[in-house]
Amino acid sequence: MLQIDPLKKSPYYVQIYAYFRQEIEQGRITAGVRLPAIRELAKQIHVSKMTVEKAYKQLAEEGYILQHCKSRYEATYLDRAISKKIVSITPGISTGQKRTYLYDFGSGDMDMEGFPLTLWRKYMNRVLSDPVYLSACDDEQGVSALRIALSNYVYETRGVKANPDCIVIGAGTSTLLHILTTLLRSSYSHIAVENPGFRLGRELFRSAGYQLEMIPVKEGALDLSSLEKKAGQLIYVSPSHQFPTGTVMRADLRYRLITWAKTNDGLIIEDDYDSELRYYGRPIPALQGLDDGEHVIYMGALSKILPFFVRLSYMILPSAIVAQYHKQISLFRQTASVAEQCVLAAYITSGEMYRHVKRLRRMYQEKAMRLEGLLRRTFGSQLEVQHVLSGVYCLVRIYSKKTTQELVNAAAAQGCRVLSVQSFYEQPQLWDEREFLLSFTKISSEEMPEAVQALYRAWKEG
């Protein structure tokens, strides 16, 4: 019987969600059985209808329950519910066969527990009720209201100087990078990239015909001496939170990099993919804010702070590149939903985005500390755990006789998806450090102990 415990730290909707999820997983509520009506359950356990609705929505998102038109939610089949957690296509297996994971340590998607779906839906309903306004907002560069909102937002949070006319909106970073490869092709043939670094970014430039120059990241620091010896004038970096090492570029290296760009008439593409999620100390200023605005392209991604279904990213271009963009604008189409752009504009200007990020930062910091503690207690000296200062990944190094690939396979056999740092190098390294990135966003606090235990079963020696 469901009972709400007011002494528990977890919100009421999480308690409701956890109860029904457990009942369905353990077979006490079988497929086709209807759940209590929202109003009826709210009255029974003395909570608001909104609280029950939020729990039901989360269960529906994960595939545990279904709703038919004008009917109550009903439990779905258990195998369907589990497969909703994370499905990944495994190399070497036909695309008709998919591997399912119980514990997704590899996802960087936002934790849905930290998102106010009801509020987002309220904004969305308001926008959709005004088709004239929606039609007026159609713009290949992005909704004007959102570009204005982002201009203020990035200045206040990151110190980035951006005229709204220099901002381009797109449905994800990869979409914007496709635009960039076209815009820069006439001026640049080579691009320097971090090694290890953002794999998708370098592959997009490679597929567009650019020659890649690998710049080593040694002990978390970009080897600028290596860059300065290269002939190229274009570089792609993540200075505020290097991926995948998680380190921050030192101030002296930042100024040295900008000097390199100015001296060589070069251009820096700054990927600031999770800048809002810093848990200790002051936020690291963006590289773009240190420049005069003409040598840095700023890439902003919202995938770490907004749900997976909101595909919105943006880039801030120097004035010369903006002029090039408008000359070639007929080649590009706006790929992001106009309605979602309008909702995000309202979400930012109302102040809700700031409050949302603050809540998310607090929740993620607690989850990161919980994951670190569980890993240290469970593995002991076998695992070296790097303290999470920002972002959604915990970097670990395991001392094992198994190779990195064997450890990845062993984790998968126990239902765990993990990311190896080795996979972000251009070529596999001769030395095998057995380093992994473990995300905590898609694993609830309640299931984290069992998730770590599953990982321990996979990686324990002997």
Side-chain angles (χ1 to χ4, degrees):
M1 179 180 177
L2 172 60
Q3 291 184 327
I4 295 295
D5 185 352
L7 299 180
K8 280 188 177 181
K9 290 185 178 180
S10 56
Y12 289 171
Y13 86 90
V14 174
Q15 294 186 42
I16 298 169
Y17 158 83
Y19 169 80
F20 282 109
R21 173 179 165 172
Q22 185 177 41
E23 292 295 292
I24 294 169
E25 286 185 339
Q26 296 185 4
R28 288 189 287 270
I29 295 180
T30 56
V33 173
R34 293 185 178 183
L35 272 61
I38 292 174
R39 185 188 299 273
E40 174 189 330
L41 183 59
K43 185 176 180 180
Q44 179 185 331
I45 60 178
H46 306 292
V47 299
S48 70
K49 289 191 297 180
M50 187 179 296
T51 299
V52 176
E53 185 177 18
K54 192 173 181 180
Y56 280 8
K57 289 289 186 185
Q58 182 66 29
L59 289 164
E61 284 286 339
E62 297 186 15
Y64 285 95
I65 60 176
L66 295 171
Q67 185 182 33
H68 301 292
C69 183
K70 297 182 181 180
S71 181
R72 288 187 296 172
Y73 284 98
E74 67 178 44
T76 187
Y77 293 100
L78 180 60
D79 59 350
R80 174 173 178 158
I82 291 176
S83 67
K84 280 280 185 179
K85 297 188 73 172
I86 173 65
V87 178
S88 176
I89 299 176
T90 307
I93 298 178
S94 73
T95 54
Q97 302 176 33
K98 296 181 179 180
R99 170 173 286 175
T100 60
Y101 294 91
L102 291 174
Y103 308 111
D104 186 8
F105 285 105
S107 174
D109 289 345
M110 200 207 83
D111 186 340
M112 286 299 295
E113 287 185 19
F115 189 70
L117 272 172
T118 303
L119 182 61
W120 187 267
R121 185 174 62 220
K122 176 183 174 182
Y123 282 123
M124 181 62 78
N125 289 339
R126 188 182 302 167
V127 167
L128 293 176
S129 66
D130 192 350
V132 175
Y133 172 69
L134 273 176
S135 179
C137 287
D138 190 18
D139 188 323
E140 295 295 358
Q141 192 169 335
V143 170
S144 176
L146 177 56
R147 288 188 280 116
I148 292 170
L150 284 170
S151 174
N152 295 322
Y153 178 75
V154 294
Y155 181 73
E156 293 172 13
T157 60
R158 305 293 298 124
V160 170
K161 297 163 285 188
N163 185 306
D165 293 336
C166 295
I167 298 176
V168 179
I169 310 295
T173 300
S174 59
T175 299
L176 296 175
L177 287 177
H178 275 297
I179 294 175
L180 267 189
T181 59
T182 302
L183 293 177
L184 302 178
R185 190 179 294 130
S186 61
S187 302
Y188 305 93
S189 58
H190 292 63
I191 183 169
V193 294
E194 298 168 320
N195 190 33
F198 181 41
R199 192 170 49 209
L200 176 60
R202 69 172 179 252
E203 291 305 324
L204 286 173
F205 275 94
R206 194 200 310 274
S207 65
Y210 288 76
Q211 179 69 41
L212 270 58
E213 302 282 358
M214 298 297 150
I215 309 300
V217 176
K218 298 178 179 178
E219 297 181 356
L222 186 69
D223 186 0
L224 287 185
S225 297
S226 175
L227 172 66
E228 290 161 347
K229 294 174 184 176
K230 305 290 184 183
Q233 300 167 289
L234 181 65
I235 185 170
Y236 190 108
V237 291
S238 51
S240 295
H241 189 206
Q242 204 279 330
F243 187 83
T245 65
T247 55
V248 175
M249 185 181 287
R250 301 194 315 264
D252 61 319
L253 295 180
R254 287 167 175 257
Y255 283 103
R256 186 174 162 189
L257 183 57
I258 291 173
T259 299
W260 168 85
K262 291 180 177 180
T263 303
N264 294 276
D265 193 24
L267 196 59
I268 302 165
I269 303 174
E270 177 182 15
D271 191 341
D272 208 22
Y273 64 98
D274 66 354
S275 57
E276 292 94 342
L277 301 177
R278 184 165 179 81
Y279 311 122
Y280 300 92
R282 293 178 59 81
I284 306 300
L287 200 63
Q288 196 265 12
L290 304 177
D291 180 44
D292 57 13
E294 293 305 310
H295 296 89
V296 178
I297 294 174
Y298 180 88
M299 308 290 298
L302 300 168
S303 60
K304 299 293 184 291
I305 58 173
L306 291 178
F308 66 93
F309 55 80
V310 181
R311 298 288 297 168
L312 291 173
S313 293
Y314 58 98
M315 60 181 175
I316 300 169
L317 303 174
S319 57
I321 308 297
V322 173
Q324 184 71 13
Y325 170 80
H326 284 291
K327 285 180 182 178
Q328 299 181 260
I329 198 167
S330 61
L331 298 177
F332 314 122
R333 289 291 178 267
Q334 180 51 249
T335 54
S337 160
V338 173
E340 286 185 347
Q341 291 184 64
C342 293
V343 171
L344 181 58
Y347 198 62
I348 294 173
T349 54
S350 67
E352 285 298 334
M353 176 69 103
Y354 300 90
R355 289 187 281 274
H356 166 63
V357 170
K358 187 176 180 180
R359 289 192 302 267
L360 200 62
R361 193 182 291 132
R362 184 169 56 248
M363 183 180 77
Y364 278 0
Q365 184 177 14
E366 291 174 358
K367 290 186 76 172
M369 291 173 62
R370 181 167 173 76
L371 178 59
E372 287 178 37
L374 285 167
L375 289 169
R376 290 191 177 101
R377 287 193 296 273
T378 304
F379 283 89
S381 59
Q382 188 191 356
L383 194 72
E384 183 180 325
V385 182
Q386 181 174 297
H387 186 39
V388 180
L389 298 175
S390 59
V392 298
Y393 290 102
C394 179
L395 179 65
V396 302
R397 176 183 295 177
I398 184 165
Y399 300 101
S400 173
K401 296 176 183 177
K402 299 174 183 175
T403 65
T404 288
Q405 190 55 53
E406 288 172 339
L407 290 167
V408 169
N409 294 341
Q414 290 293 331
C416 300
R417 176 179 175 237
V418 297
L419 298 180
S420 72
V421 172
Q422 184 83 267
S423 67
F424 296 101
Y425 282 92
E426 174 68 3
Q427 296 178 336
Q429 301 302 290
L430 295 177
W431 63 95
D432 190 345
E433 297 286 2
R434 298 166 181 81
E435 291 180 325
F436 296 89
L437 294 177
L438 302 180
S439 172
F440 44 81
T441 62
K442 298 292 280 187
I443 301 175
S444 69
S445 295
E446 290 79 8
E447 66 181 357
M448 202 173 283
E450 47 192 80
V452 171
Q453 282 297 325
L455 199 59
Y456 177 70
R457 289 194 297 272
W459 287 355
K460 67 181 179 181
E461 292 292 295

